[in-house]
Amino acid sequence: MSAQRTAPPTVYDVASEAGVSIATVSRVLRTPDAVREGTRDRVQAAIRTLGYVPSGNARALAGKRTGVVGLLLPGFDVVPDERPDLVTDGGVRVVDDRRHVTQPFSSNLYFDEVLRGAETEAWQRGLALMVAAGRGSSRDVIVNDVAGRVDGLAVLAQTVPDDLLEHVARRIPVVVLADDRRSHGFDSVSVDNAAGMRTLASHVIGRLGIRSLAYLAGPIDSPDDMERAAGFRQALADHGLTVADVRVVHGDFGRARARELATTLFDGGAVPRGVICSNDQSALGVLDAAGARGLRVPEDVVVTGFDGIDAGRFSAPPLTTVHQPMGELGRAAVRAIVDRFERREGPPRAVRLPVEVLLRESCPPAL
Amino acid sequence: MSAQRTAPPTVYDVASEAGVSIATVSRVLRTPDAVREGTRDRVQAAIRTLGYVPSGNARALAGKRTGVVGLLLPGFDVVPDERPDLVTDGGVRVVDDRRHVTQPFSSNLYFDEVLRGAETEAWQRGLALMVAAGRGSSRDVIVNDVAGRVDGLAVLAQTVPDDLLEHVARRIPVVVLADDRRSHGFDSVSVDNAAGMRTLASHVIGRLGIRSLAYLAGPIDSPDDMERAAGFRQALADHGLTVADVRVVHGDFGRARARELATTLFDGGAVPRGVICSNDQSALGVLDAAGARGLRVPEDVVVTGFDGIDAGRFSAPPLTTVHQPMGELGRAAVRAIVDRFERREGPPRAVRLPVEVLLRESCPPAL
DNA sequence: TTGAAAGCGCTAACAT
DNA sequence: ATGTTAGCGCTTTCAA
């Protein structure tokens, strides 16, 4: 009823209870049709009365296959929330939340979606999913720990250093997410950053006819940012512009920093007619700055982001962006791993997932 | 570099490469200080050159402990999204999303948060997390599969039938989430539904002085709903009212159904001054109906929900609700499991997490 | 159809 | 400080 009292029953217990050999018990579990009905019933009865649950570890050890895939994510932020009390009544805190004091519940829904996608795909393929967040100093331990238990491993970009990854890849298939590391010899699943940004920027420049632009980039070491910047440059070239025609500013993908930079930008004389940001968080910061400066979006300045985070749907105005299929990223990762089970040899493969440009009020289809 | 070619190296391989015994290899991994430095270095070198990753399964089998906890969630919905194209350009779809054609990215962030909480706590305790969604007919298989691999299992209410759970509980500690099943003999972690609803309803009746009420309940078999309804009745009693004074309607926790019911309610003559809903989705449906009927919220009718989903923060008007600490639910679950490791015997424990009433525009602190 | 027995890769006494 | 060895619980030939 509550916790188990003695050592869990094993095949041996079931076997003797049912008066058969352990091999037969195993067969009842794996290949029931290979056992006579009467025998099978007796074994199943024994399983019930004993409360037998087969040890997945022993099975994996004997069977050379775990049926589990691993997913390594960067650390989750633990955000202890601080909220003002209004009234306390019956032990339940009551908060005046009309100003949305409550934080967005999570800062990285991005990973949640990847996780969900991976879980879904794994389930459909009869695999279990083992998740771990690769934080802190114990990362090596975690990675080895997980790697030693699974048939394949999906790793979110920059979660794990290359050498560790290579080490692990000698044991099981490894696929890298959101970072095309074919050059490093890994399979990868990523998103078409360049095409997405190119399409969006082309919309701004070509269709809306905006040629006075600022580009708010991310941290220099971000592979995502590099690809997006490349897409942006292509769009410029497509329309006879060069980077020289654009005010380029480097942020850190964060909202606060973006607000600062945009404030400087807007105060610095000629306000650009459009601000292209390399991610949504930055774009939200730009919206903040525009609001503070009294600039209307999109009438005075259009603003675009990249990612498709939820907050962008609810911002004022709603944010035009390039939406990444995060759930699909997770699914594709599991698929890539399973592919490798069959195709143990062969060159690394890179899956590129399509993105979608979502035109919302901050940079509408037409002005 | 890419996939591994031969059978993965084992302790034996490492041992002979380093010229030591397998026990020494094991020691280097588990208790490095018990090995002379020179030896240790040789072993570590061998590990590197061979690309050795210890088998977690073998270790768990030999060591009687897996270091993994399992989390069983109900199935995730797979929502294939349909969106209208606006333009296609360079292979990237461009969508006019000014009307928010895009769906909320996920329908059950609730579980995502639980999952994240569990992951966080597990990580802090040096445990890995194995997730599975208990869907479909193969549920028994999945449950057994997971249960056979982990040291403890957290199960979201109603994901798994009781008998299966009892079976599993004979092997490992099991804790049930969001459903107090102490009576069934399981440890549980749940949320104080009754107190939350009681506090919220007391605010509506006592502080705002609203006595013309409708209560939109959920499905009859929902334990959550029952507790919330009980809390509501208490609030009524606290203020000298009875259920006879209230229009009670049964919905299904869904938005669409709630909208229908509320429409009927509003069209049926006397419009109640307040509608208390047993969850947020329903409350959103009521807001829809009120809007369609031309009723102003909160001026004509106040509306409250329960859960604290994100959508409620962005609705028009923002939804007053009772916020459940979902992440904390996951964390507490892992803690409860770990507790059981120490405390193998003893009566089941029930952890009750506090909720918070968030007063937003749909039912403000004062009218 | 069923049983006997040999591992799977590792940990943990127990020896040395 | 290091080696030997007996399992951990299961799958899987190979025999019967």
Side-chain angles (χ1 to χ4, degrees):
Chain A
M1 188 78 7
S2 60
Q4 73 294 353
R5 342 223 135 286
T6 64
T10 72
V11 261
Y12 292 95
D13 301 318
V14 176
S16 68
E17 169 84 16
V20 298
S21 76
I22 60 165
T24 299
V25 176
S26 181
R27 287 189 193 102
V28 169
L29 262 22
R30 302 292 131 236
T31 52
D33 301 324
V35 179
R36 194 195 308 151
E37 180 167 346
T39 318
R40 198 194 309 152
D41 291 345
R42 283 193 349 262
V43 172
Q44 270 156 351
I47 289 178
R48 300 207 84 89
T49 65
L50 258 35
Y52 169 71
V53 176
S55 156
N57 296 117
R59 182 184 301 182
L61 185 55
K64 315 292 267 169
R65 202 144 182 285
T66 68
V68 184
V69 298
L71 177 60
L72 249 44
L73 304 171
F76 296 119
D77 305 333
V78 185
V79 194
D81 35 28
E82 297 276 349
R83 298 171 192 175
D85 284 16
L86 179 67
V87 194
T88 300
D89 182 356
V92 177
R93 194 150 71 132
V94 179
V95 176
D96 180 353
D97 192 42
R98 281 176 296 178
R99 309 225 172 286
H100 293 316
V101 180
T102 54
Q103 296 301 315
F105 296 147
S106 67
S107 48
N108 33 21
L109 294 177
Y110 182 94
F111 303 134
D112 287 347
E113 281 206 69
V114 173
L115 177 46
R116 189 214 313 277
E119 212 299 308
T120 303
E121 187 73 25
W123 171 74
Q124 290 179 345
R125 295 172 178 270
L127 298 168
L129 218 217
M130 186 149 156
V131 213
R135 285 161 298 198
S137 54
S138 54
R139 188 168 42 189
D140 298 29
V141 179
I142 293 185
V143 172
N144 270 293
D145 235 60
V146 173
R149 284 176 196 294
V150 299
D151 293 330
L153 193 61
V155 180
L156 222 85
Q158 272 131 351
T159 303
V160 178
D162 268 30
D163 55 337
L164 223 194
L165 226 45
E166 271 162 22
H167 189 196
V168 164
R170 294 176 62 172
R171 176 179 243 266
I172 48 172
V174 167
V175 43
V176 177
L177 300 192
D179 183 7
D180 181 346
R181 293 210 214 175
R182 249 175 316 183
S183 51
H184 298 245
F186 297 108
D187 288 337
S188 71
V189 178
S190 55
V191 134
D192 203 344
N193 282 303
M197 182 57 92
R198 182 183 187 178
T199 303
L200 176 56
S202 286
H203 171 76
V204 175
I205 306 171
R207 186 167 297 258
L208 302 186
I210 293 177
R211 299 177 77 86
S212 154
L213 286 173
Y215 184 79
L216 178 43
I220 32 167
D221 60 334
S222 157
D224 279 335
D225 187 59
M226 292 182 54
E227 296 186 356
R228 292 170 196 176
F232 180 65
R233 284 192 298 272
Q234 284 181 1
L236 291 177
D238 294 343
H239 297 279
L241 295 174
T242 74
V243 278
D245 302 311
V246 177
R247 299 272 303 267
V248 178
V249 190
H250 270 276
D252 61 2
F253 274 165
R255 183 170 184 158
R257 180 72 184 131
R259 177 165 24 201
E260 292 171 18
L261 292 170
T263 301
T264 307
L265 191 68
F266 293 151
D267 288 344
V271 172
R273 183 66 186 83
V275 181
I276 311 283
C277 306
S278 60
N279 80 332
D280 281 349
Q281 295 286 4
S282 305
L284 293 176
V286 173
L287 290 183
D288 293 340
R293 182 63 154 67
L295 291 170
R296 292 167 307 162
V297 178
E299 292 82 356
D300 299 323
V301 55
V302 304
V303 178
T304 69
F306 202 115
D307 278 347
I309 66 176
D310 243 27
R313 305 197 301 139
F314 302 116
S315 57
L319 190 63
T320 286
T321 190
V322 180
H323 177 255
Q324 305 200 48
M326 339 228 211
E328 194 50 41
L329 208 61
R331 306 191 60 135
V334 173
R335 266 184 249 123
I337 290 174
V338 173
D339 272 8
R340 264 297 177 204
F341 293 159
E342 266 92 77
R343 195 173 60 83
R344 311 223 56 126
E345 296 294 330
R349 277 187 191 170
V351 175
R352 276 281 179 187
L353 300 178
V355 295
E356 260 183 20
V357 172
L358 301 183
L359 299 177
R360 295 196 283 234
E361 283 79 353
S362 80
C363 177
L367 288 171
Chain B
M1 188 72 17
S2 62
Q4 73 294 354
R5 344 224 136 285
T6 64
T10 72
V11 260
Y12 292 94
D13 301 319
V14 175
S16 68
E17 169 84 16
V20 299
S21 77
I22 60 166
T24 299
V25 176
S26 181
R27 286 191 194 101
V28 169
L29 262 22
R30 301 293 129 235
T31 51
D33 301 324
V35 179
R36 195 196 309 151
E37 180 167 347
T39 318
R40 198 194 310 152
D41 292 344
R42 283 192 351 261
V43 172
Q44 270 156 351
I47 288 178
R48 300 207 83 88
T49 65
L50 258 36
Y52 169 72
V53 176
S55 157
N57 296 117
R59 180 183 303 181
L61 187 56
K64 317 291 269 167
R65 202 140 184 287
T66 69
V68 184
V69 299
L71 177 60
L72 248 44
L73 304 170
F76 295 121
D77 305 332
V78 184
V79 193
D81 35 29
E82 297 275 349
R83 296 172 193 175
D85 285 16
L86 179 67
V87 195
T88 301
D89 183 356
V92 177
R93 194 152 70 134
V94 180
V95 177
D96 180 353
D97 192 42
R98 281 176 296 178
R99 309 223 172 287
H100 292 317
V101 179
T102 54
Q103 296 301 315
F105 296 147
S106 66
S107 47
N108 31 22
L109 295 177
Y110 183 94
F111 303 134
D112 286 348
E113 282 206 68
V114 174
L115 177 45
R116 188 211 316 277
E119 212 299 309
T120 304
E121 187 72 25
W123 171 74
Q124 289 179 347
R125 294 171 178 271
L127 298 168
L129 219 218
M130 185 150 155
V131 211
R135 286 160 299 199
S137 53
S138 53
R139 187 168 43 189
D140 298 28
V141 178
I142 293 185
V143 173
N144 270 292
D145 237 60
V146 174
R149 282 177 200 294
V150 299
D151 293 331
L153 193 61
V155 180
L156 223 86
Q158 272 131 351
T159 303
V160 177
D162 267 31
D163 54 339
L164 223 194
L165 225 45
E166 271 162 21
H167 188 197
V168 165
R170 294 176 63 171
R171 176 179 243 267
I172 48 171
V174 168
V175 42
V176 177
L177 299 192
D179 183 8
D180 181 347
R181 293 210 215 176
R182 248 176 317 183
S183 52
H184 298 245
F186 298 108
D187 288 337
S188 70
V189 178
S190 55
V191 134
D192 204 344
N193 283 302
M197 181 57 92
R198 183 182 186 177
T199 304
L200 176 56
S202 287
H203 171 76
V204 175
I205 305 171
R207 186 167 297 260
L208 301 186
I210 293 178
R211 299 178 75 87
S212 155
L213 285 173
Y215 184 78
L216 178 42
I220 31 170
D221 59 334
S222 157
D224 279 335
D225 187 59
M226 292 182 53
E227 296 185 356
R228 291 171 196 175
F232 179 64
R233 284 191 299 271
Q234 285 181 1
L236 290 178
D238 294 343
H239 298 278
L241 294 174
T242 73
V243 277
D245 301 310
V246 178
R247 299 272 303 267
V248 177
V249 190
H250 269 276
D252 61 2
F253 273 164
R255 182 170 185 159
R257 180 72 184 133
R259 176 166 24 200
E260 292 172 17
L261 293 170
T263 301
T264 307
L265 190 68
F266 293 151
D267 287 345
V271 172
R273 183 68 187 81
V275 181
I276 311 283
C277 305
S278 59
N279 79 332
D280 281 348
Q281 294 287 2
S282 304
L284 293 177
V286 173
L287 290 184
D288 293 340
R293 182 63 154 64
L295 292 170
R296 292 166 308 163
V297 178
E299 292 83 356
D300 299 322
V301 56
V302 304
V303 177
T304 69
F306 202 114
D307 278 348
I309 66 176
D310 241 26
R313 303 198 302 138
F314 303 115
S315 58
L319 190 64
T320 286
T321 190
V322 181
H323 177 255
Q324 306 200 46
M326 338 227 211
E328 196 48 43
L329 208 62
R331 305 192 63 135
V334 172
R335 265 183 249 123
I337 290 174
V338 174
D339 272 8
R340 264 297 176 204
F341 293 159
E342 267 92 79
R343 193 174 61 84
R344 312 224 56 126
E345 296 295 329
R349 276 188 192 168
V351 175
R352 277 282 179 187
L353 300 178
V355 296
E356 258 183 22
V357 172
L358 302 183
L359 299 177
R360 295 195 283 235
E361 284 78 352
S362 80
C363 177
L367 287 172

